[in-house]
Amino acid sequence: MREGEKDPGLYDFRPYRDRPEIKWPGDMGVAVWVSPNLEVYELDPPVNPHRKSWPRPHPDVVGYGHRDYGNRVAHWRMAETMAKYGFPGSVSLSVAMCQHIPEIIEHASGLGWEFFSHGIYNTRYSYGMDEAQERAIIEDSIKTVRDATGQTIKGWLAPALTHTPRTMDLIAEYGLTYTCDLYHDDQPAPVHVKSGKLISMPYSLEVNDHYGFFVYNMSPREYADTLIRQYDRLADEGGGTVMCIPLHAYLIGQPHRIGPFADVLKHINADGRAWVTTSGAIADHYIKTAYDATIADTRRYAPDTAKGKDR
Amino acid sequence: MTLDPSCLEYPNRRRGMDHDLYDWSCILDRNVPAWPSGKPVAAAVLVSLEWFPILPEDNPFRAPGHMQTAYPDYRHYTSREYGTRVGFYRFLDAFNSHGVKASIAVNSAIAERYPSIISDIVSEGHEIIAHGRDMNDVIATGIAEDEERRIIDESLETLERISGTRPRGWMSIARSQSFNTPGLLKAAGIEYMCDWVNDDLPYAFRSGFGEILSIPYNHELSDRQIITVQQHSAESYVEQMKDACDWLASEKVPRILPLHVTPYILGLPYRMAAFEELLGWLSKREDTEFLTASGLAMPYLS
């Protein structure tokens, strides 16, 4: 990014109109990916001066216990519901899960899920890191996931959504191809980086279960209706849209929420217009078939270029 | 800018939990004992019966539900008292109508101030668990160990003196504990604590004085969370509890359906009928029984 400038310079403007069509495999108009955040929180983490880990003194029994529910009870409820309707997971992973609860990693791997990094723990924040420190968590992420699963991570969702001005350049330098931290579009888009090739993968805060339940205070059934409306709209528009369903087992896997959520997956599965896939597969397909066309199309909107001049 | 190196050190990055309080365990891998009736779903009603002094304390933080305005906060003081005088008696009547035996987490100040309530709880067959002295008794890291011990011991002694029975269970104000709490509870003779929210079944918890049982009453399904925090209606609360019960029953093995309720929240006239309807619906299910905390503990302590 352009550090210190009013516009961080992450990407170019391109309106949601008159775009070259992206065709997902099978001529599907919308790609759907489900992103379980498999997170590990620490009971008594060191203090990052830029952000507090827990609102209450450690041990924060309710805050910690709530999240731990995901790793004792709710993960399997969520995962088996996804498997029942044919939805693989693209995991936003606190990579320390590989050490703490390898059973969850093996279970997710066994379901054919894909992993990308969500930092080491969700109680460790990138704010304030120097370059060497940020490189250390990226290298740790790549090595830890490779050792545990054999997979090479392609994506990044910053731990607890905490970034530095260097994050995008660094993950691209290490060969990652997508970031889930930018929310400016319903389609993938190129991200400006110093080296490598990085795209923004549409993730979602708005239909994230955390926002649904604790920002918008939806009931389980209201959240399920929201997801169905989000899907129906993006499928109707088609042309290469992406819908992400970001989840946390400790939220969606609660007994009062999982039933209505199962109805959402049933709806999308039965609708038949979606390419139900993983974030890595979306990134690969986009980079291969649409990245260059997007770059060319973007030139039309550059303010310092007369329209059509360089075409 | 550089972070303190400790922020990139991971001394507890190892197999299992990042602490020694309890072991990791996947709920599907356990050999789960049956509830006494053999039914899979234990509907566990837990009522918080609390006294909020009109002089709130913030050491270490103010309990949820406490005073909010400048002194004197008549509106919150009396609204909480409404729950104790009126809403709680609606609860007791509804429990009688539907055959519910409940656990009542009682501030010992309630027993001292209103001993007839304790007689009513005991004579109607409900269980009393200890819940501090009053709502200024928040425990958290930072309060002195002696002070924490005094809160636990005095609340137990008062409840024992007035109810005739020493409580076997404990619930902390705001479910907040210090690192010392499990050990102090165990040393005081407490067999089970109801603060943690990380499971659908009881599990063993380590303390400095040996194991204590942790009985989770998932706060996500409490009336405080759904009605007060998330601002849903009582009817929505009931719908969510029914959905939860249906799902837990579908798992066909023992599970807890926690009904942590508050007299000044669900005990209001416009909400009470919905709660009564839920209790009636639960009482008619073939796969569900009402259990107190001691009922939940029994298969795990015997």
Side-chain angles (χ1 to χ4, degrees):
Chain A
M1 67 170 280
R2 297 196 300 254
E3 189 174 357
E5 294 187 24
K6 282 185 173 177
D7 174 356
L10 293 164
Y11 45 75
D12 293 320
F13 172 75
R14 205 163 66 100
Y16 191 56
R17 173 186 288 177
D18 191 27
R19 292 181 177 182
E21 189 181 3
I22 299 170
K23 285 199 169 172
W24 300 126
D27 276 342
M28 297 295 187
V30 59
V32 174
W33 65 291
V34 179
S35 188
N37 284 266
L38 302 187
E39 294 172 337
V40 183
Y41 290 77
E42 298 162 286
L43 190 67
D44 194 20
V47 176
N48 182 310
H50 306 275
R51 178 168 160 178
K52 227 174 145 178
S53 296
W54 299 111
R56 290 180 178 175
H58 305 173
D60 189 330
V61 170
V62 174
Y64 180 90
H66 188 200
R67 286 153 182 88
D68 190 35
Y69 182 85
N71 295 341
R72 298 171 68 85
V73 177
H75 164 74
W76 296 270
R77 217 175 252 161
M78 170 185 74
E80 285 164 18
T81 300
M82 288 165 56
K84 181 178 176 184
Y85 294 103
F87 287 76
S90 307
V91 176
S92 159
L93 181 68
S94 295
V95 299
M97 184 74 87
C98 299
Q99 282 82 35
H100 285 290
I101 313 180
E103 291 86 350
I104 286 181
I105 302 295
E106 284 160 23
H107 180 254
S109 292
L111 290 170
W113 290 12
E114 182 178 294
F115 299 90
F116 59 88
S117 179
H118 190 30
I120 312 300
Y121 289 97
N122 221 39
T123 36
R124 303 284 180 128
Y125 310 125
S126 305
Y127 297 141
M129 283 186 182
D130 64 26
E131 183 173 327
Q133 292 174 326
E134 194 163 13
R135 284 183 185 277
I137 66 165
I138 297 169
E139 290 171 14
D140 184 331
S141 294
I142 294 169
K143 180 175 188 316
T144 301
V145 174
R146 190 174 282 154
D147 289 350
T149 71
Q151 292 187 26
T152 300
I153 59 170
K154 297 175 181 173
W156 189 263
L157 177 69
L161 311 189
T162 63
H163 319 99
T164 77
R166 290 176 299 272
T167 306
M168 300 300 167
D169 290 329
L170 288 179
I171 62 175
E173 182 191 319
Y174 281 96
L176 276 63
T177 55
Y178 65 93
T179 168
C180 301
D181 283 303
L182 307 178
Y183 306 105
H184 56 297
D185 217 297
D186 283 326
Q187 295 183 324
V191 177
H192 295 311
V193 285
K194 287 179 181 161
S195 65
K197 191 178 271 190
L198 190 74
I199 64 164
S200 54
M201 176 61 58
Y203 181 73
S204 181
L205 298 180
E206 290 292 324
V207 300
N208 191 301
D209 57 356
H210 172 73
Y211 268 57
F213 298 126
F214 294 116
V215 175
Y216 297 123
N217 284 321
M218 293 176 194
S219 73
R221 293 187 188 198
E222 286 167 345
Y223 178 65
D225 289 346
T226 297
L227 290 177
I228 288 173
R229 282 196 296 274
Q230 177 96 345
Y231 169 74
D232 285 349
R233 179 73 191 201
L234 289 169
D236 287 347
E237 291 180 357
T241 50
V242 176
M243 175 176 180
C244 179
I245 304 177
L247 302 174
H248 302 74
Y250 72 91
L251 300 176
I252 202 67
Q254 294 280 346
H256 57 318
R257 297 193 178 121
I258 190 71
F261 178 68
D263 292 342
V264 175
L265 299 185
K266 194 175 172 185
H267 171 89
I268 296 172
N269 176 296
D271 181 75
R273 286 181 290 171
W275 178 36
V276 175
T277 187
T278 64
S279 48
I282 294 170
D284 288 351
H285 186 87
Y286 175 82
I287 290 168
K288 194 169 140 201
T289 68
Y291 181 92
D292 291 340
T294 309
I295 297 280
D297 187 51
T298 301
R299 292 198 193 103
R300 291 195 284 160
Y301 304 104
D304 53 356
T305 307
K307 195 173 179 182
K309 189 174 161 187
D310 60 347
R311 280 193 296 167
Chain B
M1 200 156 39
T2 296
L3 271 187
D4 188 276
S6 68
C7 290
L8 281 96
E9 291 162 4
Y10 314 106
N12 298 316
R13 190 172 174 182
R14 62 188 182 202
R15 190 168 173 98
M17 304 309 297
D18 65 311
H19 53 72
D20 297 319
L21 301 178
Y22 53 83
D23 291 330
W24 176 78
S25 163
C26 165
I27 197 167
L28 301 178
D29 293 343
R30 298 178 208 163
N31 187 13
V32 180
W35 303 125
S37 67
K39 297 177 179 181
V41 181
V45 178
L46 174 64
V47 181
S48 287
L49 191 61
E50 301 170 326
W51 186 63
F52 292 87
I54 200 166
L55 299 170
E57 292 174 9
D58 296 325
N59 179 31
F61 59 85
R62 199 172 295 197
H66 217 317
M67 303 301 110
Q68 292 176 28
T69 75
Y71 177 82
D73 185 351
Y74 286 164
R75 81 174 85 151
H76 290 98
Y77 182 82
T78 59
S79 298
R80 302 314 174 236
E81 287 266 283
Y82 175 93
T84 304
R85 302 161 65 95
V86 181
F88 184 66
Y89 279 85
R90 290 197 179 107
F91 280 7
L92 286 181
D93 290 347
F95 296 161
N96 282 333
S97 299
H98 298 290
V100 178
K101 297 300 179 206
S103 297
I104 319 292
V106 183
N107 287 164
S108 63
I110 293 278
E112 287 182 306
R113 296 167 55 85
Y114 317 124
S116 70
I117 292 185
I118 301 302
S119 309
D120 293 333
I121 292 170
V122 170
S123 68
E124 292 172 33
H126 305 295
E127 178 196 17
I128 289 175
I129 68 175
H131 189 39
R133 296 169 306 191
D134 65 36
M135 293 306 282
N136 285 343
D137 272 352
V138 173
I139 291 169
T141 296
I143 74 163
E145 187 173 334
D146 282 349
E147 173 59 13
E148 181 172 355
R149 186 179 293 111
R150 194 157 42 243
I151 290 171
I152 293 167
D153 290 348
E154 286 182 13
S155 57
L156 284 167
E157 281 156 20
T158 304
L159 289 171
E160 181 175 9
R161 175 167 50 82
I162 297 170
S163 75
T165 308
R166 190 168 175 91
R168 299 170 58 201
W170 173 269
M171 183 175 209
S172 301
I173 309 261
R175 299 167 176 275
S176 179
Q177 299 188 348
S178 76
F179 284 106
N180 296 323
T181 307
L184 293 173
L185 292 174
K186 182 72 181 179
I190 289 290
E191 296 171 70
Y192 43 88
M193 56 183 190
C194 305
D195 295 330
W196 289 70
V197 296
N198 53 346
D199 214 298
D200 284 340
L201 289 172
Y203 62 94
F205 203 100
R206 292 190 193 91
S207 84
F209 291 85
E211 278 191 359
I212 184 169
L213 193 68
S214 174
I215 303 182
Y217 281 83
N218 187 344
H219 72 299
E220 279 261 53
L221 295 169
S222 66
D223 63 349
R224 173 177 305 286
Q225 180 69 25
I226 292 175
I227 295 178
T228 303
V229 176
Q230 295 191 289
Q231 305 263 299
H232 301 165
S233 67
E235 288 69 28
S236 178
Y237 162 82
V238 169
E239 178 183 80
Q240 293 178 49
M241 298 305 288
K242 289 180 177 179
D243 284 347
C245 188
D246 284 342
W247 187 275
L248 292 169
S250 77
E251 295 186 348
K252 299 197 185 318
V253 286
R255 294 286 182 259
I256 298 171
L257 174 71
L259 293 106
H260 182 204
V261 295
T262 315
Y264 64 82
I265 298 175
L266 265 178
L268 300 184
Y270 70 99
R271 291 184 179 135
M272 192 60 206
F275 183 46
E276 284 169 335
E277 195 266 323
L278 173 65
L279 294 177
W281 183 86
L282 289 166
S283 72
K284 290 186 190 72
R285 287 183 69 109
E286 295 288 322
D287 52 15
T288 301
E289 67 171 323
F290 290 105
L291 278 183
T292 61
S294 68
L296 299 172
M298 192 164 29
Y300 290 83
L301 293 177
S302 57

